[in-house]
Amino acid sequence: MKSLCYHKRERLGFLVTVLIQGMVVLTLFSAWVCAEETSSTSRENQADLVEKGISQYQQGNLKEAKESLEPAKSASADNADVPYYLGRIYLEENQRSKAIAEWQRYVRMAPDGRDTGKIRQYLTLLLREEAVAYAKQAVANESTLLRDPANDNTVAVTSFSNIGSETLGPLGKGLAAMLISDLSQVPDLQVVERIKLQMLLQEMDLGASGVVDSESVPKVGKLLKSRHVATGSMADSLEERLQIVSAVVDTEKADRIDTREVTGALETFFSLEKQIACGIVEDIGRDCDRMPEAFNKVHTRSLAALTSYSVGLDYLDQEKYDLAREQFQKAVEEDPDFDLAKESLAWTPLSSMLLMSGSQMVSSLSTSVISSAAAAGGISTGWLIGGGVALVGGGIAVAGGGGGGGGGGGGDDPGNEPVNIAGDWSGTYSGGAGGAVSLTINQTGGSISGQGTVTGSQCALSGTLTGTVDGNSLEGRISSGDESVSFAVTCTTTSMNGTIEFATAECNGVSGNFSATKTGNATISW
């Protein structure tokens, strides 16, 4: 009897255990279902918020649009519409720093998206304004900043001074830009932006060259909150050998850490630059042998490309944007794989943008809504020419080259279907004194509109662009008052080649050859 009771209790205990476990499983399952439903509802709510915010913005209700879009910012990390419109709102509210942050996020999310080409160029203008404001504030608060500790993991790189022949020209700026690019690949290192350093030097009346002396280096570093400053000089000899000397200064101790010297044939400058980069990271306590692969990438082996790139940087610092674009274009033509030159060309604005206000920048952008899915995952991350698909005004639009209604298979004869040429273009022409051409093209089917700028000692003109595209044939005209420049070219999604003719006071009847390449993508609507 006792044994029977024991077994009954054992079975009862087993059943209770099973029942409890079942209830636990059921509770967990119910919680999971609820969580999934909540997550789904949350995603739907976020999508509704974004849609609501865009609608409010388009109706001119900036305050309400911001209140709708800001909560969706963290939860809608894959929706490029959020930073796009928040950037517009902040710029209209004169909150420049916030606008910059949002548009930088948009460019990263949609490198070939709607208006990305223009936004890159506007960001260059806005970042310069921000750097000027910082420089003025830093100099005004110099006594306080000089007492504050600098950031240990931050380094600034100045232009390398030329103490050799005129042959080296402005190569010091190009060398510094390559070093900045290399050091930016080091995961735990922060590198001061080149424009931020340049604007501070100008505010301190240290000249536009970007070169500093041994006495001013610690002060410059402290005002930039940078613990280390890398600087140096270049010299050449009759044997066409290049000598580069670099030094890293600890701004806290106002003392030089070490000096490095490398020498080699002038045409091996790319190898010498890598040796200097390696020396800098070792001087600030890193192991050069453990750098990421991108750190060791050779930027260019073409001395001609580096020279044009360096000249372009000098023009960029002087706000001579069309001349800078011309030089960056030359650098790309000399070395099509020179990514720094491609990047600089894509980010350099047109001179006609120089005096644009924030509201004018916003008004120049499109008002349609992009496809968030395309921006998040369907767009390539190339510097200039991509093949993503964007949804514009209810229709499919091809951004960049490759397929779609306007692409024509990336350059093959598309019959009468117009090639997609929407975007930013940069090129050169012969005839007269020769010069450069910059185009910003909007395209609707076979019609184009936008802005065009022609530079040259005599044949200069900036005005409204109009024209038509029939298959891969483009006839366009830049007009300003009674003066105009006409061009007839054969085009693909990424290149133009043909003739140009002037009807201006200085160059009436002058004609020549014209060629251009696309430097930034836009969208074509149908």
Side-chain angles (χ1 to χ4, degrees):
M1 179 66 70
K2 192 172 183 180
S3 175
L4 180 61
C5 289
Y6 173 79
H7 287 298
K8 285 183 177 179
R9 285 197 300 272
E10 188 180 52
R11 285 196 298 272
L12 180 60
F14 173 75
L15 290 173
V16 170
T17 301
V18 171
L19 180 61
I20 292 173
Q21 290 176 340
M23 292 175 67
V24 170
V25 171
L26 181 61
T27 300
L28 292 174
F29 178 74
S30 298
W32 176 77
V33 170
C34 289
E36 285 295 303
E37 290 178 350
T38 302
S39 176
S40 177
T41 302
S42 176
R43 286 193 294 269
E44 291 176 1
N45 289 342
Q46 296 299 334
D48 290 341
L49 273 176
V50 175
E51 185 177 348
K52 179 181 178 183
I54 294 173
S55 177
Q56 291 167 330
Y57 176 84
Q58 292 175 335
Q59 294 170 19
N61 301 321
L62 299 188
K63 183 175 182 294
E64 292 83 353
K66 184 169 65 173
E67 290 173 350
S68 296
L69 291 171
E70 283 183 335
K73 183 175 173 180
S74 58
S76 301
D78 61 344
N79 191 328
D81 281 330
V82 177
Y84 177 80
Y85 280 98
L86 279 176
R88 294 176 68 141
I89 292 169
Y90 289 139
L91 197 55
E92 291 194 60
E93 293 180 338
N94 293 318
Q95 298 189 65
R96 186 176 55 221
S97 297
K98 288 187 174 181
I100 288 172
E102 293 301 327
W103 272 358
Q104 285 177 327
R105 193 160 72 96
Y106 172 70
V107 169
R108 288 193 299 269
M109 293 175 69
D112 297 301
R114 176 260 329 253
D115 286 332
T116 300
K118 280 186 181 178
I119 287 176
R120 283 195 187 100
Q121 295 171 332
Y122 292 161
L123 277 171
T124 296
L125 297 171
L126 295 172
L127 285 167
R128 186 185 182 95
E129 292 177 9
E130 196 79 349
V132 169
Y134 178 87
K136 291 182 180 297
Q137 185 178 21
V139 172
N141 299 317
E142 178 179 309
S143 58
T144 300
L145 290 175
L146 291 178
R147 291 194 302 268
D148 290 344
N151 297 325
D152 287 342
N153 65 333
T154 301
V155 61
V157 182
T158 77
S159 292
F160 279 49
S161 59
N162 174 21
I163 59 175
S165 68
E166 293 183 0
T167 303
L168 297 181
L171 292 186
K173 286 195 174 185
L175 174 62
M178 291 192 292
L179 290 172
I180 289 172
S181 177
D182 293 344
L183 297 175
S184 297
Q185 306 302 323
V186 183
D188 63 338
L189 194 63
Q190 295 180 0
V191 186
V192 175
E193 299 93 334
R194 200 188 72 86
I195 187 63
K196 192 173 184 180
L197 170 62
Q198 187 65 37
M199 293 302 99
L200 177 62
L201 295 180
Q202 291 186 21
E203 185 65 23
M204 295 172 67
D205 293 326
L206 292 176
S209 67
V211 176
V212 294
D213 56 33
S214 57
E215 293 183 2
S216 58
V217 166
K219 183 177 180 179
V220 169
K222 290 285 285 184
L223 293 182
L224 292 169
K225 300 179 182 179
S226 177
R227 176 66 183 268
H228 301 107
V229 176
T231 186
S233 62
M234 304 181 306
D236 56 351
S237 65
L238 294 176
E239 293 79 20
E240 293 191 346
R241 294 185 66 78
L242 178 65
Q243 178 189 54
I244 305 175
V245 178
S246 70
V248 176
V249 175
D250 185 331
T251 60
E252 288 293 332
K253 300 177 181 179
D255 191 21
R256 187 177 63 201
I257 296 176
D258 202 354
T259 299
R260 306 267 177 165
E261 180 180 328
V262 296
T263 304
L266 183 59
E267 61 267 22
T268 66
F269 68 89
F270 53 88
S271 175
L272 303 179
E273 183 271 330
K274 290 303 174 188
Q275 295 178 52
I276 292 295
C278 190
I280 292 173
V281 298
E282 288 182 348
D283 286 342
I284 57 180
R286 273 70 173 178
D287 185 352
C288 189
D289 292 332
R290 304 182 67 178
M291 291 297 102
E293 184 177 349
F295 178 86
N296 298 309
K297 178 184 177 182
V298 172
H299 299 289
T300 180
R301 287 180 165 83
S302 168
L303 184 59
L306 175 61
T307 300
S308 294
Y309 174 63
S310 301
V311 173
L313 290 177
D314 197 40
Y315 280 135
L316 183 67
D317 292 338
Q318 299 176 54
E319 295 185 283
K320 297 179 179 179
Y321 293 130
D322 287 342
L323 293 176
R325 291 175 64 88
E326 179 182 350
Q327 292 298 323
F328 293 143
Q329 179 65 41
K330 286 183 179 179
V332 174
E333 291 171 356
E334 291 286 349
D335 181 1
D337 296 325
F338 192 2
D339 286 341
L340 281 180
K342 291 181 184 179
E343 179 186 1
S344 296
L345 182 58
W347 285 78
T348 300
L350 304 175
S351 292
S352 58
M353 298 176 175
L354 184 59
L355 299 179
M356 290 182 71
S357 65
S359 60
Q360 288 175 321
M361 292 180 187
V362 171
S363 65
S364 75
L365 303 177
S366 62
T367 57
S368 54
V369 182
I370 70 170
S371 164
S372 299
I379 296 177
S380 72
T381 56
W383 282 118
L384 304 175
I385 302 170
V389 179
L391 190 63
V392 181
I396 296 297
V398 179
D412 296 332
D413 184 2
N416 291 322
E417 286 293 320
V419 170
N420 172 18
I421 58 171
D424 295 326
W425 294 75
S426 181
T428 58
Y429 70 90
S430 63
V437 179
S438 297
L439 305 174
T440 297
I441 300 177
N442 303 312
Q443 183 173 354
T444 302
S447 299
I448 65 167
S449 61
Q451 295 290 319
T453 300
V454 180
T455 60
S457 57
Q458 294 177 320
C459 305
L461 184 71
S462 182
T464 302
L465 172 67
T466 57
T468 58
V469 186
D470 183 11
N472 58 5
S473 297
L474 164 65
E475 293 186 358
R477 180 187 298 269
I478 302 170
S479 303
S480 178
D482 295 332
E483 297 186 323
S484 65
V485 178
S486 302
F487 51 93
V489 299
T490 300
C491 52
T492 70
T493 55
T494 60
S495 66
M496 296 180 184
N497 287 281
T499 58
I500 190 169
E501 184 173 354
F502 292 84
T504 65
E506 298 293 336
C507 294
N508 192 36
V510 171
S511 62
N513 295 321
F514 168 57
S515 63
T517 56
K518 184 179 284 188
T519 60
N521 294 306
T523 51
I524 176 174
S525 56
W526 299 91

